Amino acid sequence: SSETEGLGRLEVVGNYFSNIPPIYSNYVNRKHLEDELIKVITDKDRYPIITLKGIGGIGKTSLALSVLHKVSTSDRFDVVLWLSSRDIDLTTQGAKHVKNKILNEEDIANQFADLLDVRGLKKNEKIEFLSKEMGKSSYGPMLFVFDNFETVKNPVELFSWIDTYVRHPNKVLITSRTSKSFK
């Protein structure tokens, strides 16, 4: 498992339910970037999909975690789901290979149903359920966070699928080392 893999259950984090991992203890604050990201995440009318792009190890995941913990004091979201497809953890000892948690729509739908404790759905029904909830959530406004998006099986296809279904007030935050074909 990755050190930034989401928790296996939803917990109360401030004013929302989430499976986000804790903030890194060695996180370096970047006030300007944090303020800008807080603004676009909490904006209710624009930016349904936000992408943080940069080289590996620059702090995209750390920035996202810091901001999500700060945003937890607002009433903007009722649920924040952390979905990680990380394949490498960068540690002080070097790169460590880890198992990807999500690779495609099916993996996302399975994790979504598990986290929300929705039982009895078949594979295609889980994807349909997730697609509907991305458009109009029966759980209140949701933020879907896809960490290390470049490591999913087909990032362009998955991005297109997400873009097709996500609607306000829900939002998506993507961290990625690349985003040439999606933004």
Side-chain angles (χ1 to χ4, degrees):
S1 293
S2 169
E3 60 187 24
T4 62
E5 185 174 298
L7 304 177
R9 67 203 170 285
L10 293 180
E11 295 182 348
V12 175
V13 178
N15 292 333
Y16 56 63
F17 291 99
S18 184
N19 67 324
I20 60 173
I23 301 171
Y24 291 151
S25 59
N26 59 352
Y27 175 68
V28 176
N29 290 323
R30 292 165 281 179
K31 184 162 177 28
H32 174 72
L33 290 174
E34 290 172 11
D35 291 347
E36 184 178 348
L37 186 54
I38 288 169
K39 181 180 175 188
V40 296
I41 283 177
T42 58
D43 188 314
K44 292 183 180 180
D45 297 323
R46 298 176 54 203
Y47 314 110
I49 300 175
I50 303 153
T51 305
L52 294 178
K53 178 188 171 246
I55 61 172
I58 199 167
K60 299 172 296 295
T61 298
S62 300
L63 173 66
L65 287 171
S66 175
V67 164
L68 293 176
H69 282 277
K70 288 178 181 178
V71 170
S72 72
T73 61
S74 77
D75 63 353
R76 174 60 178 92
F77 298 104
D78 291 332
V79 180
V80 174
L81 297 174
W82 184 271
L83 304 157
S84 178
S85 62
R86 182 177 289 240
D87 60 349
I88 295 175
D89 278 347
L90 300 175
T91 68
T92 54
Q93 292 80 30
K96 173 185 153 192
H97 289 275
V98 294
K99 184 177 180 355
N100 302 56
K101 186 78 173 179
I102 61 163
L103 293 172
N104 53 33
E105 296 95 330
E106 183 179 342
D107 292 342
I108 296 166
N110 286 334
Q111 191 170 359
F112 182 75
D114 289 347
L115 287 168
L116 295 173
D117 200 26
V118 176
R119 300 172 194 257
L121 296 178
K122 296 176 182 159
K123 178 173 80 172
N124 63 328
E125 292 172 330
K126 286 181 182 180
I127 293 173
E128 184 178 317
F129 173 67
L130 171 60
S131 300
K132 286 180 182 176
E133 291 296 317
M134 289 177 77
K136 181 161 175 48
S137 173
S138 53
Y139 300 92
M142 298 180 96
L143 174 63
F144 298 85
V145 183
F146 297 97
D147 187 41
N148 288 88
F149 194 78
E150 74 282 354
T151 61
V152 298
K153 281 188 179 173
N154 188 334
V156 174
E157 184 179 296
L158 184 57
F159 181 86
S160 180
W161 178 79
I162 291 167
D163 188 42
T164 298
Y165 291 104
V166 70
R167 295 290 177 266
H168 286 293
N170 298 333
K171 286 199 173 195
V172 171
L173 173 62
I174 293 172
T175 71
S176 180
R177 292 187 293 251
T178 62
S179 66
K180 291 178 184 175
S181 302
F182 60 88
K183 195 168 186 180

